[in-house]
Amino acid sequence: MKNFSLMRIGIWVYLALFFSYLLGPLVIMSVTAFNSPGFPRAAPWECLTFEWFSALFQDERILNGIKNSILVGAGTVTLSVAMGLAGALMLTQIWPKLRATYYTIIIAPILIPGVVIGISTLVFWDRVNRLFGLEADSFLSNGLFLTVIGQSTFIASYCMLVLVARLQRYDNGLTEAALDLGATHAQAFRKVLLPFMRPAIASAAVLAFLASFENYNTTTFTFGEYPTLTIELAQKVRYGITPAISALAFIIVVLTVFAALANEAGIRRKELVAAARKSATVEELESGKLRLPGFLSSNAAAVILVVVAMMTIAVVGTAAVYSPQQCIADVREQKRLETDLKVQELLQRRAEQAARRDAEQAEQSGQEPTTEDTTPKASNNSGFGNVFDPGALQDDGTDDPEEEPATPGNNSGFGNVFDPNALQSD
Amino acid sequence: MSAGVGVNLEDLWIRFGDFVAVREANVHINGGDFFSFLGPSGCGKTTILRAVSGFLEPSQGNVLIGGNNMKGIGPNKRPTALIFQNLALFPLMKVWENITFSMEIKGASTKQRRKRADELLDMIALTGQGEKLPAELSGGQKQRVAIARALCAEPDVLLLDEPLSALDLKLRQHMRSELREIQKRVGITFIYITHDQGEALTMSDNIAVMRDGVIDQIGDGKSIYNDPNTAFAASFVGENNVFRGTVKQVIGNEVMIRTNRSGDLMARISTANQGKLKQGDEAMLFIRPEAFALAPAGTQGDHFVTAQVTKEEFEGSAFNIFMEGEGGKEIKVALPNVGQSFESHMGEAMTLEYQVKNAVALPAGVLATE
Amino acid sequence: MPRFLKEYFNRNGFGLGSVMLGLVLFWTVGLIILPQLSMLDFSFRPNLPPPEIGGPKDLYTLENYKYLIFGPEGGSQSYNAVDLRVFYRTLIAAVFVTMFNLMLCYPIAYYLAQTKGNHIRVLALMLIIPYWINEILRAFALRIIFGESGVLNNVLVGMGVFDTPFDFIRNDIALYAGLGYAYILLMIFPIYNVIESLDRNQIEAARDMGASWPRIHWRVVIPYAKPGISSGCTMVFMLSAGALAAPQILGGPSSLWFTQLIYQQFNDNSDWPQGAAYAVVLLVTCILLVLALMRLFKVNMGDIGK
Ligand SMILES: Nc1ncnc2c1ncn2[C@@H]1O[C@H](COP(=O)(O)OP(=O)(O)O)[C@@H](O)[C@H]1O
Ligand SMILES: [Mg+2]
């Protein structure tokens, strides 16, 4: 027994660790979206601000990226679901001897590195383009076309897997029954097979859109004139990070949670409705007076969904009227005071030293202490990052404080520490 | 009532690769008939039906419906409607939508469809259940919906692939008469498939008995039961006692058979085999359980069999007696329960008598349950 | 028309059948086979300006592959030590990421598959939600944490574990954590799917006979889950070896990922054939490795994607 409860504790500790690894980064990133410092950080907390959201909405490139992502996503969803469905249907009727080979071919794109898919797409369509004697800016080498084609190559495989799983439960007799009752093949497909596949097609479409939306490896070779949101984000992240990106991430997290909850609530509701129908009498069904359960009754996901929705509305409402200016000003003031204090101390000390030196060596004229000798120690790489850390400010030498007034509010420099290109020079 | 549309199979062969599923089938089905294909599972019944409905192209031969050759005509263009073995009701459509699917295809308005659905629902005694989904119906109800859906297409020929096999016994027997009823009412040709000889006998005007892709015999129930063409038909349709032996002497349409275990027995040669059995041929003699009667002990002759009672069984309509004939041969006797008292003869030797016209002699062949 | 084609069109109708066949052919031939062949062909060609492509100078050559092994012609070293090291390091690191992922995910997959209750749905949801969020943003989140003034350093320095912030990025810890993070779901799902179908009675029976938990896993669960495990490992390995975003965002400055070399050849050097050759090498090596492992553990291609 003791062993058993020990194991239980072990399991819970493991679960906690696992999910903090999984969710922790997202939570911290979300928090940084509301903190006022220019470098995304959760602690120390300075001021609640919504300015990173407005910065985000004013960023032309991000907005353009979103537009391109949606364009590419629409194309990819259409093409991959169509190809995935055709591929899945073909798998159920292909000649048995060919089946293994065929399956290997259509599953391979999942395993081929995205980079390789991007390159092969680029190289191949460039060649096709030249074969047709088209210009370099033709439709075939257009970034939109190439990206959709490249992404669909492997996203169609994901769709195929989702669709095949459902197709295996399809009774081909249904199609035959429809034909037998006079339907054409197209009618049987549209009225019988397609409605049956609809849930799987919806999942495949969502999956395809998400995969397309987040794809980087393939798109980075094919995007051309159509940088998607992911490409823009990657550029930004590589050349310096700001909380505006956290704000975007936060929005996506919230949307995701909404979608997940809505999906859960939908599933639960369907179950409830089915149960209600089962126990309904003929008359109730006939008259359409069947009393269906309320949307919120015995549906935890729906309740949470509504709560989260109300919270969101409240937050957005607050954001509209809330101004962090006072707080930011206060913090700045406080920092300035602290810094001033330190500068004063320093000046005083220097003045004392100078006075002593003056006294000792009268021939040397008294030098005004300047900030010029206060460049950070070359070896101290961390100096930039720690500027805002009050703890660091206190112990970390007396050289730094002068930096602070010199760059108030300008944080772009700090991000450059992480710029891989700056460091890749070796 | 219309005369109905007939169906002809002419020299029909269906092959899957090297495997022959249907061999040289020649069948004439009268318009308005209730026609059954009867045979054990795997003998090619479904395959024939799929060739008639157009899902399968015959490898050779023709399917004629109402005198028109159906070659190259797809299932959606043929005047047939098929009721699938598993019914194949559309799971996502409501019952009324299922029933009127063929009208939807033709572009009928919702109002027309509702009206027709109500008529058909009345006919199948499911009035007011149109809003349900198939999954919300019982087995028998689904069955009737499938029939209504097929009838709604107004086919000339209705094809039914073991439609009752999934139902329990009670319902199955009820549905038999109901199906027959419906067929009489709509007056179209029904082609019915079953492996249950009771179904075939009770419902059909005519029956084709099939074995391994070959049609052994075509005829009405009575002639198949009383006058089988082959050993297979004799043993598959109804219960039968078989005695093996060789032909000792042919006397007109009757024959004396020297059985391996029960001495010399007389029998009538089945109609299709008259003139074909010759002295010395291997033959089989079939006597139905109900064709036996008890005879005074010790009686001997060419229509008497002596055996020891090993098991007795009361079935309600009959007393069944199982006996061990000479050399361990099991014989089943069914004595009709017509009020007489019945004493047990367990372990005793008894003599059975039959009338020669009730014993059928056939050339030796494959039996149904071997 | 061959028999199977005729049957195919009979079954699907001419219009629908043609659309289906067209889509499948476009996908398999136009999007999968030809582009890969085209890339292979391209990798054997010299880097020429567009007008000269197809001209007399456009001859097949092994130059691009030689470059990976021997470096630039007349280079100071006899081997292209830099690129080869990157290549080798990428493969090794991908193997380690895969193993780390397996160890991290096996318990959770087992737990999810063999436990009943409502909280499992919640956990599954929590598992999936991070993967609805952009790959770049996930890497970004980790960079906030592992950055020099990131949360982790704040905590560690605050607790006095380090005196000065530790450079997680330069030491590639951020990269490994990021790659591990990126493919958790791909490892969990195949294993989960297989273990879910494992009859609980088998485990009960083994426990009944007094087997310890590690032994039950080693002898009962893992052999049963082998197709799922190898499917997950294959995908995680291929994707980590082929990852580009995580190394670009989380990678240390001195340690490149092989895909970054490919990226540089294409985008910075504009040497497409060279990049194609590197891509071919990456693809072929990964496939050979995976095939070898699949043979070693006796699993089929058909298990992938289940
Ligand atoms: N599409 C097919 N391909 C190969 N063999 C088939 C096919 N359809 C049926 N068969 C074979 O044909 C024989 C007859 O099948 P079927 O007509 O379904 O029998 P049943 O009389 O039980 O309906 C069976 O042995 C079956 O295995
Ligand atoms: Mg059948």
Side-chain angles (χ1 to χ4, degrees):
Chain A
M1 275 300 101
K2 188 163 177 240
N3 201 2
F4 190 65
S5 63
L6 250 173
M7 213 171 83
R8 280 190 79 87
I9 294 170
I11 288 174
W12 286 110
V13 168
Y14 167 76
L15 283 178
L17 281 177
F18 183 88
F19 280 100
S20 41
Y21 177 41
L22 206 62
L23 302 176
L26 301 182
V27 172
I28 289 168
M29 173 166 66
S30 301
V31 170
T32 62
F34 295 96
N35 198 2
S36 56
F39 180 84
R41 49 176 32 230
W45 184 263
E46 288 187 2
C47 291
L48 175 68
T49 175
F50 296 97
E51 72 176 293
W52 304 121
F53 288 89
S54 48
L56 176 71
F57 292 128
Q58 279 154 17
D59 191 325
E60 278 302 318
R61 289 180 58 184
I62 293 278
L63 294 180
N64 189 44
I66 292 176
K67 197 191 80 200
N68 286 335
S69 277
I70 290 173
L71 269 180
V72 167
T76 305
V77 167
T78 316
L79 188 59
S80 351
V81 171
M83 291 194 309
L85 183 58
L89 285 169
M90 194 64 88
L91 189 65
T92 59
Q93 32 179 289
I94 195 168
W95 203 26
K97 275 184 201 157
L98 269 179
R99 186 170 294 144
T101 316
Y102 172 70
Y103 187 73
T104 307
I105 291 176
I106 58 176
I107 207 76
I110 290 182
L111 295 180
I112 299 175
V115 177
V116 174
I117 290 180
I119 291 172
S120 56
T121 304
L122 186 60
V123 166
F124 175 66
W125 291 99
D126 183 63
R127 182 172 290 193
V128 172
N129 201 38
R130 259 186 284 113
L131 203 70
F132 289 154
L134 296 171
E135 294 298 308
D137 56 353
S138 78
F139 165 70
L140 286 182
S141 50
N142 174 307
L144 188 60
F145 172 80
L146 281 181
T147 307
V148 169
I149 288 283
Q151 291 186 351
S152 299
T153 305
F154 68 95
I155 292 179
S157 301
Y158 290 122
C159 293
M160 189 273 299
L161 287 176
V162 172
L163 295 169
V164 144
R166 175 115 181 130
L167 204 55
Q168 272 163 354
R169 303 221 313 273
Y170 181 71
D171 170 15
N172 205 46
L174 295 179
T175 298
E176 292 191 338
L179 292 177
D180 193 59
L181 293 168
T184 61
H185 283 93
Q187 279 172 323
F189 180 79
R190 210 181 63 226
K191 288 179 186 288
V192 180
L193 180 63
L194 222 48
F196 177 85
M197 295 298 291
R198 187 161 297 143
I201 289 178
S203 323
V206 170
L207 184 76
F209 186 80
L210 291 176
S212 160
F213 197 77
E214 80 148 24
N215 181 264
Y216 176 70
N217 292 5
T218 300
T219 313
T220 192
F221 289 95
T222 56
F223 68 87
E225 310 278 286
Y226 291 83
T228 61
L229 178 64
T230 307
I231 297 292
E232 290 291 7
L233 282 179
Q235 307 277 6
K236 279 197 189 299
V237 173
R238 286 174 67 195
Y239 298 113
I241 58 184
T242 88
I245 299 173
S246 302
L248 177 67
F250 177 73
I251 292 174
I252 295 181
V253 169
V254 170
L255 287 179
T256 304
V257 170
F258 261 113
L261 282 175
N263 186 37
E264 271 305 285
I267 290 173
R268 180 87 186 110
R269 171 148 183 87
K270 242 183 227 159
E271 283 170 7
L272 289 173
V273 168
R277 275 188 75 96
K278 238 189 198 130
S279 53
T281 62
V282 171
E283 294 76 60
E284 281 173 337
L285 281 174
E286 178 70 358
S287 59
K289 277 200 210 105
L290 176 60
R291 230 180 52 77
L292 289 175
F295 181 65
L296 291 180
S297 68
S298 44
N299 194 337
V303 174
I304 300 174
L305 181 64
V306 171
V307 170
V308 174
M310 290 204 283
M311 268 161 54
T312 312
I313 292 170
V315 169
V316 172
T318 320
V321 293
Y322 172 82
S323 167
Q325 290 319 316
Q326 190 52 50
C327 171
I328 289 175
D330 287 352
V331 168
R332 198 170 290 160
E333 182 59 25
Q334 195 184 337
K335 275 190 189 159
R336 205 182 55 77
L337 286 178
E338 276 176 20
T339 316
D340 277 359
L341 209 67
K342 288 215 174 117
V343 172
Q344 288 305 322
E345 274 175 20
L346 195 72
L347 285 179
Q348 213 176 331
R349 230 181 299 151
R350 292 239 169 113
E352 280 167 12
Q353 280 173 358
R356 232 176 292 142
R357 249 179 292 156
D358 276 348
E360 284 167 14
Q361 294 171 308
E363 70 270 28
Q364 278 190 321
S365 58
Q367 235 176 356
E368 277 283 68
T370 62
T371 59
E372 267 136 46
D373 59 341
T374 59
T375 47
K377 285 174 269 177
S379 65
N380 182 3
N381 224 339
S382 60
F384 284 105
N386 283 331
V387 172
F388 278 156
D389 190 339
L393 253 163
Q394 260 129 45
D395 352 296
D396 202 20
T398 50
D399 294 338
D400 282 2
E402 284 88 340
E403 274 298 311
E404 177 72 315
T407 55
N410 171 14
N411 298 299
S412 61
F414 304 118
N416 278 336
V417 177
F418 299 98
D419 178 355
N421 266 36
L423 297 164
Q424 264 168 24
S425 47
D426 53 319
Chain B
M1 194 183 280
S2 70
V5 170
V7 176
N8 287 303
L9 309 182
E10 292 178 343
D11 187 28
L12 192 74
W13 290 70
I14 297 168
R15 298 187 188 88
F16 297 114
D18 291 336
F19 177 76
V20 183
V22 175
R23 184 185 299 269
E24 205 189 348
N26 283 292
V27 183
H28 171 75
I29 299 169
N30 295 321
D33 249 14
F34 195 116
F35 189 95
S36 293
F37 282 93
L38 172 65
S41 105
C43 71
K45 305 179 300 286
T46 300
T47 306
I48 286 196
L49 215 58
R50 290 172 65 79
V52 174
S53 54
F55 291 116
L56 255 176
E57 224 16 67
S59 316
Q60 186 183 322
N62 297 310
V63 174
L64 279 71
I65 300 179
N68 302 318
N69 195 331
M70 289 287 127
K71 186 161 269 173
I73 297 179
N76 45 3
K77 297 273 168 3
R78 295 193 184 192
T80 57
L82 175 60
I83 293 179
F84 288 74
Q85 207 158 355
N86 62 358
L87 305 184
L89 293 180
F90 305 126
L92 301 177
M93 294 183 201
K94 291 179 180 158
V95 165
W96 76 270
E97 291 173 308
N98 255 291
I99 291 180
T100 56
F101 182 79
S102 54
M103 297 171 74
E104 184 187 344
I105 292 303
K106 292 190 197 109
S109 73
T110 309
K111 211 172 138 201
Q112 285 172 312
R113 291 174 59 202
R114 287 270 189 189
K115 189 161 162 285
R116 183 86 179 106
D118 285 343
E119 288 168 18
L120 284 161
L121 282 167
D122 284 346
M123 190 194 88
I124 57 171
L126 281 178
T127 310
Q129 312 245 24
E131 290 299 317
K132 286 195 174 178
L133 290 172
E136 295 162 354
L137 298 178
S138 71
Q141 292 175 328
K142 280 186 205 164
Q143 190 67 62
R144 291 187 295 218
V145 171
I147 293 167
R149 182 178 73 176
L151 290 176
C152 183
E154 298 180 341
D156 294 329
V157 181
L158 189 67
L159 310 168
L160 303 98
D161 190 352
E162 311 211 20
L164 306 185
S165 57
L167 305 182
D168 58 51
L169 183 67
K170 197 83 181 276
L171 200 54
R172 202 152 61 213
Q173 278 170 347
H174 171 71
M175 286 303 294
R176 278 186 197 174
S177 49
E178 196 152 310
L179 269 179
R180 184 69 203 185
E181 233 356 56
I182 292 172
Q183 195 259 341
K184 288 228 177 81
R185 209 171 329 145
V186 295
I188 58 173
T189 312
F190 273 39
I191 300 182
Y192 189 89
I193 278 192
T194 181
H195 64 265
D196 179 334
Q197 38 100 16
E199 258 172 38
L201 291 177
T202 49
M203 299 160 78
S204 320
D205 294 314
N206 281 300
I207 299 171
V209 179
M210 282 189 78
R211 166 182 56 98
D212 288 346
V214 180
I215 293 176
D216 267 15
Q217 183 171 9
I218 302 175
D220 61 14
K222 233 181 301 168
S223 68
I224 286 182
Y225 193 81
N226 292 334
D227 194 15
N229 280 357
T230 62
F232 176 79
S235 54
F236 188 72
V237 181
E239 284 179 288
N240 234 334
N241 294 302
V242 57
F243 299 83
R244 297 163 193 268
T246 49
V247 175
K248 189 176 172 198
Q249 193 184 0
V250 182
I251 312 151
N253 284 338
E254 297 189 346
V255 67
M256 173 78 84
I257 292 176
R258 164 149 294 167
T259 64
N260 298 345
R261 288 160 172 177
S262 303
D264 292 353
L265 296 175
M266 279 296 279
R268 168 179 63 84
I269 303 177
S270 88
T271 315
N273 294 291
Q274 282 171 9
K276 287 185 195 157
L277 272 182
K278 281 182 281 302
Q279 198 173 338
D281 284 355
E282 287 205 24
M284 285 176 169
L285 193 154
F286 291 91
I287 306 172
R288 301 270 177 201
E290 67 274 15
F292 283 115
L294 295 181
T299 325
Q300 294 206 342
D302 56 11
H303 55 286
F304 294 94
V305 179
T306 303
Q308 196 138 25
V309 177
T310 56
K311 195 165 90 184
E312 291 174 340
E313 200 178 80
F314 176 62
E315 204 195 295
S317 60
F319 298 102
N320 294 329
I321 305 173
F322 296 89
M323 304 180 166
E324 191 176 308
E326 289 165 49
K329 163 123 220 76
E330 182 174 82
I331 301 167
K332 181 182 175 186
V333 179
L335 301 174
N337 178 11
V338 286
Q340 86 275 31
S341 64
F342 181 81
E343 334 147 12
S344 172
H345 293 279
M346 227 13 219
E348 295 170 28
M350 292 179 78
T351 302
L352 303 170
E353 180 186 5
Y354 67 87
Q355 296 190 320
V356 174
K357 68 171 172 44
N358 289 335
V360 181
L362 290 165
V366 187
L367 297 179
T369 47
E370 267 186 356
Chain C
M1 193 154 49
R3 231 180 86 88
F4 66 89
L5 261 188
K6 205 172 139 198
E7 262 171 28
Y8 170 82
F9 281 117
N10 268 345
R11 221 180 130 163
N12 301 288
F14 188 74
L16 199 61
S18 312
V19 171
M20 238 171 81
L21 194 62
L23 279 170
V24 169
L25 285 179
F26 178 66
W27 183 23
T28 51
V29 179
L31 297 191
I32 301 176
I33 296 174
L34 286 183
Q36 299 303 323
L37 289 180
S38 175
M39 179 181 75
L40 186 65
D41 173 87
F42 206 69
S43 70
F44 287 105
R45 292 176 186 272
N47 189 22
L48 298 170
E52 285 183 42
I53 291 178
K57 280 201 215 155
D58 199 352
L59 300 168
Y60 285 109
T61 164
L62 282 175
E63 213 41 59
N64 300 315
Y65 291 92
K66 275 191 196 148
Y67 181 88
L68 171 62
I69 299 173
F70 302 111
E73 232 158 298
S76 53
Q77 283 167 309
S78 51
Y79 288 99
N80 189 350
V82 177
D83 290 6
L84 283 177
R85 244 201 68 216
V86 169
F87 180 57
Y88 163 81
R89 220 185 61 96
T90 300
L91 292 181
I92 297 290
V95 169
F96 275 108
V97 167
T98 308
M99 282 177 3
F100 166 71
N101 235 327
L102 177 59
M103 287 187 292
L104 184 71
C105 295
Y106 175 82
I108 197 104
Y110 176 81
Y111 179 78
L112 288 179
Q114 288 284 326
T115 316
K116 310 242 160 348
N118 271 336
H119 69 294
I120 293 300
R121 261 199 98 74
V122 177
L123 289 186
L125 213 61
M126 278 171 27
L127 204 60
I128 294 171
I129 285 177
Y131 294 93
W132 286 19
I133 291 153
N134 208 298
E135 182 186 3
I136 302 290
L137 292 177
R138 289 199 299 261
F140 169 72
L142 287 177
R143 203 166 127 182
I144 292 178
I145 288 177
F146 285 111
E148 247 161 316
S149 65
V151 175
L152 202 57
N153 266 325
N154 278 351
V155 171
L156 291 177
V157 173
M159 290 192 327
V161 179
F162 297 129
D163 307 335
T164 56
F166 183 74
D167 194 340
F168 290 104
I169 292 190
R170 194 176 286 273
N171 288 297
D172 284 336
I173 290 176
L175 173 59
Y176 296 147
L179 285 173
Y181 190 94
Y183 307 118
I184 281 178
L185 208 56
L186 286 172
M187 185 62 95
I188 289 183
F189 262 113
I191 303 181
Y192 167 85
N193 277 339
V194 180
I195 296 186
E196 204 196 12
S197 68
L198 172 66
D199 185 1
R200 212 170 147 73
N201 290 339
Q202 282 191 33
I203 300 169
E204 300 282 307
R207 259 178 74 182
D208 224 35
M209 288 182 260
S212 62
W213 273 114
R215 198 164 178 81
I216 289 174
H217 278 275
W218 187 245
R219 300 281 298 163
V220 180
V221 186
I222 292 181
Y224 186 82
K226 212 171 64 179
I229 291 176
S230 58
S231 171
C233 287
T234 305
M235 282 199 274
V236 170
F237 172 75
M238 292 301 262
L239 287 172
S240 331
L244 180 58
Q248 279 184 345
I249 293 169
L250 295 170
S254 58
S255 49
L256 285 174
W257 209 245
F258 194 65
T259 47
Q260 285 175 287
L261 290 185
I262 300 176
Y263 183 84
Q264 284 175 357
Q265 293 293 359
F266 257 77
N267 288 3
D268 304 344
N269 304 354
S270 287
D271 192 347
W272 286 20
Q274 185 65 62
Y278 276 31
V280 168
V281 169
L282 176 68
L283 180 64
V284 170
T285 317
C286 287
I287 287 178
L288 287 181
L289 265 174
V290 167
L291 285 183
L293 284 179
M294 276 161 82
R295 169 133 324 164
L296 190 67
F297 291 112
K298 301 198 180 60
V299 277
N300 303 321
M301 195 68 185
D303 296 325
I304 306 284
K306 281 211 173 118

